Amino acid sequence: MPIGPAIVRRNAKIILVILVLLILTIRVAPIPGRSQGSIFYDRNGRILTVTTSAGKIPVPIGQMSKYLPEAVVAIEDQRFYVHFGIDPVGLVRALVTNIRAGRIVEGGSTITQQLAKNMFLTPERSIDRKLKEAMLAVYLEMKFGKRAILEKYLNTVYFGHGAYGVEMASRVYFGKGAKDLTLAESAMLAGLIRGPYYYSPYRNIKAAMARRAMVLNRMVAMGYISPIEAAEAAREPIRLAGLEGREYRQAPYFVDYVMQQLADRYLNDGDLLYNGGLQIHTTLDVNIQVAAEEAFHEIIGELAKVSPAKQGSAQGGTLITQPQGALVAIEPQTGEVRALIGGTSFRMTPFNRAINAKRQPGSAFKPFVYAAALDHGFTAASSIACEPIYLPTAQGVYSPRDFGKESYHWRVLSLREALVVSCNVIAVKLNYALGPELGASYARNMGITSVLRPNLSLVLGTSEVSPLEMAVAYCPLANGGYAVKPKFMNSILSSTGGVIRTFATRKWKVLDPRTSYILTDMLKGVLKRGGTAPDVSRIFSHPAAGKTGSSQNFTDAWFVGYTPDLVAAVYIGHDDPATPVARPGGATAALIWARFMQRVYGNASPRDFTEPSGLVRREVCGTSGMSPTPFCPWTRQEVFKAETAPDTPCTWHSPGAVMKGMNKAR
């Protein structure tokens, strides 16, 4: 029988595939076990920490919980038992899902492909590597059976926190062996594979539970479990074994955040952090970090002693010391983060309050609206009365009041004085005159990224923000008007010293430098006698400025302060918002800031803020802020933008006004 051209072409393809596979079998050899941890350095080259793997303990698939392989197949590779190592159907499904979501939410690699990558390939990202991965997957399918492939995969896949394989992951997360895992625990571990950092219950319990529910639903769809079993497992509480403090030595919240950024944005592979031998050069300064930790724990410790009955709250079975807090210190010229504290103990509570806690900053928000005022017709000498006012809003009439025994000052205050004493009434009047959206836009331009509600009370800090945002947003006040992008790393190098990525400083102008200088000059008064944080100047005497903040009922306490070289935001509050700190920011957070700065600067020579051109100083009436007359009871010096300096004689204390007052007195 003659052989047709179609048969020849088909046989040629088969022969070609066989030849390729033969070549692969000759050259293929598993990569020697990589166990070179990544090194994290501070900005001066000092080692912060070295990542270490928790190790591997291979176990036969028969000694694993029966739910674990099923859960992994259900969420990672539903067609595992029918494809030949590469799954075209899965690739198309993942492509469609990702297009619909507008981002990568589902991968197209099979379990066999992932195993091929882990066993044979380097972490490089290229088309060539993907082709090798696909061919190796076919090779593995030919050489091993499905059960053997799944067993090898379960014993080598990365689960986060340095844990490789299901046995070590079971111990790290639940303190038990893989054979003793419940359905709920098996589903949670299976859900970690796609994103060990994001879905870790140690870092994001809500995301971990949502991912567990997704795995359970997939298991139901594939017939592995019943809907009733899935519902029962979804209700099972998460009982974690605890990280036992083995992860980091210095700056744990900072290092943890950098590791998360590396895994999520730049490397997309947590395995590299533990086995890639990377060299990560960060922006942290160990000396500044130590100063921050010492000052932070001094004050937090004192607060915890005030009411020992309220020191802790049960969260996930763990007693967490209260109040908690955060500190972020940034170099304003570059945006480089020099120190970061996200809580009192990373081992006890790894939740990073410096970055992820969103709380009301209180009056620490006022400088954003004052910056808008200085650009729109107001000066530091502008006078406004602090007295009852009733303002119409969509929700009804709004009447602001001040904290303290007196709801109003019952007198006229200059903008400078109003900011120094933190007058709420005048701040709201400013916000009303300018329009709440203007103040919100200034805050956003300067560095606030959280959603802001542009209402009249926004100036009083009623929209929630993070300490990191507040530190970033004060940088334009310290550096002459430039917003900066916060920077945590300078470079990522490979194990051989090759540059993987560098991080440049990003800054852009958002404020008139004269506005920054005048507002800073006003905020210096907050730290002196008559301001809301007078104790700061007794501890730290260098030129500095800042603003206190206390949310309603003293729930949270804030202080954001800065020198020309360093901006730091300090937050103190209970994790349960219903429990107030009961002390203002000036008596708590400001003291942490002052002690921190004193440790940082020590005996260094003071450096003041650089005055830009275009400013003038004028003597003004101490009451009206106008050019003084001989009848003004007192005068003072004020700084102005040249075009806004007052040239009109005081009308409050003119001869006519004096005579009118005398006649009225009679």
Side-chain angles (χ1 to χ4, degrees):
M1 178 181 293
I3 300 175
I7 296 176
V8 172
R9 287 194 297 269
R10 185 184 65 187
N11 289 338
K13 291 179 180 178
I14 293 174
I15 293 171
L16 180 62
V17 170
I18 291 174
L19 286 174
V20 170
L21 291 174
L22 285 173
I23 293 172
L24 286 172
T25 58
I26 294 172
R27 294 186 176 184
V28 163
I31 292 177
R34 291 174 292 152
S35 59
Q36 186 178 1
S38 296
I39 304 174
F40 289 77
Y41 298 94
D42 87 336
R43 65 186 294 256
N44 297 310
R46 288 168 290 191
I47 294 177
L48 292 174
T49 191
V50 178
T51 60
T52 56
S53 170
K56 297 177 184 177
I57 304 177
V59 292
I61 198 168
Q63 294 182 21
M64 303 175 191
S65 165
K66 69 173 184 175
Y67 299 115
L68 193 51
E70 295 174 345
V72 170
V73 169
I75 196 65
E76 285 295 311
D77 190 355
Q78 297 176 46
R79 289 170 44 83
F80 173 69
Y81 291 106
V82 298
H83 63 62
F84 55 91
I86 305 169
D87 184 14
V89 175
L91 285 170
V92 173
R93 182 182 63 244
L95 179 63
V96 172
T97 300
N98 294 333
I99 290 174
R100 287 176 176 173
R103 58 188 179 91
I104 302 298
V105 295
E106 184 173 333
S109 295
T110 65
I111 282 176
T112 316
Q113 284 176 272
Q114 294 179 54
L115 177 61
K117 180 188 71 172
N118 293 340
M119 290 182 65
F120 302 111
L121 300 173
T122 61
E124 64 173 316
R125 291 185 172 275
S126 65
I127 295 177
D128 182 60
R129 197 211 73 176
K130 291 298 293 183
L131 289 173
K132 289 180 181 178
E133 178 185 294
M135 289 188 289
L136 285 166
V138 176
Y139 161 76
L140 289 174
E141 291 277 344
M142 293 177 63
K143 187 168 184 178
F144 304 101
K146 291 288 186 180
R147 182 180 176 89
I149 289 173
L150 185 57
E151 180 178 294
K152 288 179 181 295
Y153 176 75
L154 291 171
N155 278 303
T156 57
V157 69
Y158 181 62
F159 287 91
H161 299 289
Y164 289 85
V166 295
E167 181 67 20
M168 188 55 68
S170 300
R171 299 184 183 192
V172 167
Y173 287 98
F174 304 114
K176 61 175 68 173
K179 65 182 177 62
D180 298 320
L181 293 173
T182 66
L183 170 57
E185 292 166 344
S186 298
M188 180 160 286
L189 286 189
L192 287 169
I193 296 173
R194 182 65 59 194
Y197 268 78
Y198 182 76
Y199 294 116
S200 168
Y202 286 117
R203 293 185 172 89
N204 192 336
I205 193 68
K206 290 183 179 178
M209 294 181 71
R211 183 70 171 170
R212 180 180 71 175
M214 180 183 293
V215 175
L216 292 169
N217 289 337
R218 290 276 183 91
M219 294 179 74
V220 171
M222 293 189 67
Y224 289 139
I225 59 175
S226 69
I228 294 177
E229 289 177 300
E232 291 176 350
R235 289 193 296 269
E236 182 177 306
I238 299 174
R239 298 180 178 88
L240 299 174
L243 292 177
E244 299 179 354
R246 63 172 175 79
E247 289 223 33
Y248 319 123
R249 291 189 294 275
Q250 290 185 322
Y253 290 98
F254 178 90
V255 173
D256 182 72
Y257 180 73
V258 170
M259 291 181 74
Q260 181 179 340
Q261 295 300 298
L262 285 167
D264 291 348
R265 294 188 179 184
Y266 308 116
L267 304 178
N268 198 28
D269 191 344
D271 174 50
L272 282 174
L273 289 172
Y274 287 90
N275 282 323
L278 302 176
Q279 302 173 51
I280 297 99
H281 292 267
T282 74
T283 62
L284 190 97
D285 187 305
V286 168
N287 292 335
I288 296 177
Q289 177 71 23
V290 170
E293 291 174 354
E294 290 176 351
F296 182 81
H297 288 291
E298 281 178 1
I299 301 299
I300 287 289
E302 293 172 8
L303 291 174
K305 295 176 183 177
V306 172
S307 53
K310 297 181 180 180
Q311 284 188 30
S313 63
Q315 294 185 7
T318 302
L319 194 67
I320 299 176
T321 301
Q322 300 292 338
Q324 283 291 320
L327 184 152
V328 183
I330 298 178
E331 183 180 276
Q333 304 298 333
T334 63
E336 295 186 4
V337 177
R338 296 291 184 233
L340 187 145
I341 299 171
T344 57
S345 168
F346 184 82
R347 179 180 178 181
M348 179 187 297
T349 170
F351 177 67
N352 194 332
R353 294 161 186 82
I355 295 170
N356 299 318
K358 299 293 182 73
R359 304 296 281 262
Q360 294 182 354
S363 293
F365 195 89
K366 288 176 181 175
F368 306 130
V369 175
Y370 272 77
L374 292 175
D375 282 346
H376 290 80
F378 291 88
T379 72
S382 296
S383 298
I384 301 178
C386 178
E387 58 190 13
I389 186 172
Y390 303 92
L391 302 171
T393 70
Q395 292 74 37
V397 176
Y398 177 54
S399 181
R401 296 186 177 188
D402 277 315
F403 284 122
K405 297 179 180 179
E406 299 293 334
S407 298
Y408 306 97
H409 289 90
W410 297 107
R411 63 182 178 86
V412 170
L413 280 71
S414 68
L415 254 62
R416 176 183 291 274
E417 185 181 8
L419 185 58
V420 167
V421 302
S422 199
C423 177
N424 288 343
V425 176
I426 290 177
V428 172
K429 282 186 174 183
L430 272 181
N431 202 27
Y432 180 74
L434 297 168
E437 184 53 50
L438 183 62
S441 69
Y442 267 70
R444 285 191 287 263
N445 290 340
M446 292 170 69
I448 299 298
T449 56
S450 293
V451 175
L452 299 176
R453 297 179 291 275
N455 48 38
L456 290 180
S457 64
L458 174 65
V459 68
L460 305 183
T462 54
S463 287
E464 295 77 13
V465 297
S466 72
L468 174 63
E469 289 176 83
M470 291 297 287
V472 170
Y474 269 61
C475 284
L477 302 180
N479 66 21
Y482 289 86
V484 295
K485 182 176 178 61
K487 184 179 171 187
F488 292 81
M489 291 176 279
N490 286 318
S491 63
I492 306 171
L493 306 181
S494 69
S495 58
T496 59
V499 177
I500 296 176
R501 185 183 178 95
T502 58
F503 300 85
T505 294
R506 291 180 56 189
K507 58 191 297 186
W508 57 98
K509 191 173 182 179
V510 294
L511 286 181
D512 182 335
R514 299 177 300 171
T515 300
S516 296
Y517 184 86
I518 294 172
L519 190 50
T520 294
D521 193 60
M522 296 164 68
L523 289 170
K524 284 182 175 181
V526 173
L527 282 56
K528 300 174 182 177
R529 184 178 180 181
T532 54
D535 291 335
V536 166
S537 58
R538 300 191 187 103
I539 300 171
F540 180 63
S541 58
H542 286 233
K547 186 69 188 76
T548 56
S550 300
S551 57
Q552 193 168 13
N553 299 321
F554 297 104
T555 298
D556 302 313
W558 290 76
F559 184 79
V560 188
Y562 56 98
T563 67
D565 309 300
L566 200 62
V567 177
V570 181
Y571 154 78
I572 299 175
H574 288 256
D575 289 335
D576 178 7
T579 305
V581 175
R583 294 171 67 179
T588 51
L591 297 184
I592 292 177
W593 186 91
R595 295 186 187 186
F596 163 56
M597 285 293 187
Q598 181 56 37
R599 283 178 165 87
V600 170
Y601 281 85
N603 297 321
S605 300
R607 185 169 84 88
D608 208 344
F609 298 90
T610 302
E611 181 175 332
S613 59
L615 295 175
V616 295
R617 282 175 169 74
R618 295 283 188 271
E619 187 177 12
V620 297
C621 172
T623 307
S624 71
M626 303 178 190
S627 293
T629 71
F631 300 96
C632 292
W634 67 287
T635 62
R636 61 183 178 83
Q637 287 284 321
E638 187 56 88
V639 59
F640 299 90
K641 297 176 184 178
E643 67 273 18
T644 65
D647 54 12
T648 303
C650 178
T651 58
W652 293 16
H653 304 104
S654 63
V658 172
M659 290 299 298
K660 184 177 180 180
M662 292 175 62
N663 291 333
K664 196 171 184 180
R666 292 183 185 140

